[in-house]
Amino acid sequence: MDRLLLVGADLVAISLLTFAVYFPRHHRRDLVAAFLGVNVGVLAVAMVLGSTSVGIGMGMGLFGVLSIIRLRSYEIAQHEIAYYFSALALGLLTGLSESLDLLHTGLMVLVVATLYAGDHPRLFPRHRQREMRLDSAYTDEEALRAHLEVLLGGRVLNLSVKGIDLVNDTTLVEVRYVVPSASRAAVTKPREGSPRTDDSPRGHGVRA
């Protein structure tokens, strides 16, 4: 009976994390299956390991396998890694527990609440991050900063030049910036002939 309560508590927690926190904010359907699969899989394996006389070496091996769960063929964003490990942690908390006590319940609530607060849209809502490919080669950082501030319509906080191609006259730069309060909902659209950017964490802008 205690194990059924643990399974039920885990399913409630991962459902809240996935369907109430993650999906309404990021809308990636493929990761819904990933989070659910990781959580339930870890829960099942942890329960089996906890009910048998398996040595600690196998348990550490399990952690080693889970540590490479990031699919090498497709890079995911840092906040998605946080959701992955939270789903994993929920499975371990319930799978290695003997009963649903106050401590484990509180820890599960803490995991979900931390992701809810840490990934909330109202947390630093004016801060943006982009990786852009500009159609000019900038060797002067101050000139690059001024150009980016005009292009993005905000104040550049940090920029990191990833590459300068003097042959093709391009600059690849990662920029972190903050937009004015009046521009929260929209970012300045690039004029015709200006470089376009990709909002995805891994995206590269393309030359117009």
Side-chain angles (χ1 to χ4, degrees):
M1 187 63 180
D2 288 339
R3 289 301 178 96
L4 291 178
L5 287 176
L6 287 168
V7 172
D10 176 72
L11 293 178
V12 170
I14 190 60
S15 296
L16 288 174
L17 183 68
T18 304
F19 299 112
V21 180
Y22 175 77
F23 190 77
R25 295 177 180 177
H26 303 288
H27 306 285
R28 282 197 59 176
R29 184 178 180 276
D30 56 331
L31 288 183
V32 170
F35 297 148
L36 296 176
V38 166
N39 174 263
V40 175
V42 169
L43 170 67
V45 173
M47 281 189 165
V48 171
L49 291 178
S51 62
T52 59
S53 56
V54 180
I56 192 173
M58 183 173 290
M60 296 302 294
L62 172 64
F63 277 99
V65 172
L66 294 174
S67 68
I68 59 171
I69 203 166
R70 287 178 58 189
L71 301 181
R72 299 290 180 176
S73 60
Y74 191 80
E75 184 181 349
I76 62 176
Q78 294 299 316
H79 67 276
E80 291 165 344
I81 296 175
Y83 281 98
Y84 260 116
F85 278 94
S86 296
L88 186 154
L90 291 173
L92 287 177
L93 279 172
T94 51
L96 297 178
S97 303
E98 294 296 331
S99 62
L100 189 62
D101 55 20
L102 184 61
L103 174 62
H104 291 87
T105 303
L107 290 174
M108 294 170 66
V109 171
L110 178 62
V111 170
V112 177
T114 299
L115 265 294
Y116 174 81
D119 191 39
H120 200 283
R122 293 186 180 180
L123 184 65
F124 305 118
R126 297 188 294 122
H127 288 252
R128 308 281 192 272
Q129 176 178 341
R130 288 190 178 185
E131 190 170 275
M132 309 169 63
R133 189 180 300 276
L134 307 177
D135 58 358
S136 297
Y138 286 90
T139 56
D140 186 339
E141 183 173 315
E142 292 304 317
L144 174 59
R145 182 183 297 271
H147 176 70
L148 288 171
E149 289 185 343
V150 172
L151 181 66
L152 298 171
R155 179 169 58 90
V156 173
L157 302 175
N158 180 271
L159 63 87
S160 176
V161 177
K162 302 296 184 180
I164 300 176
D165 190 337
L166 297 176
V167 175
N168 296 314
D169 195 27
T170 62
T171 302
L172 179 62
V173 58
E174 180 180 323
V175 56
R176 297 179 179 88
Y177 63 102
V178 59
V179 297
S181 299
S183 305
R184 285 187 180 184
V187 178
T188 304
K189 293 182 179 180
R191 300 182 301 274
E192 185 178 356
S194 299
R196 298 191 300 272
T197 62
D198 187 344
D199 285 331
S200 65
R202 301 180 297 105
H204 298 284
V206 295
R207 297 184 65 182

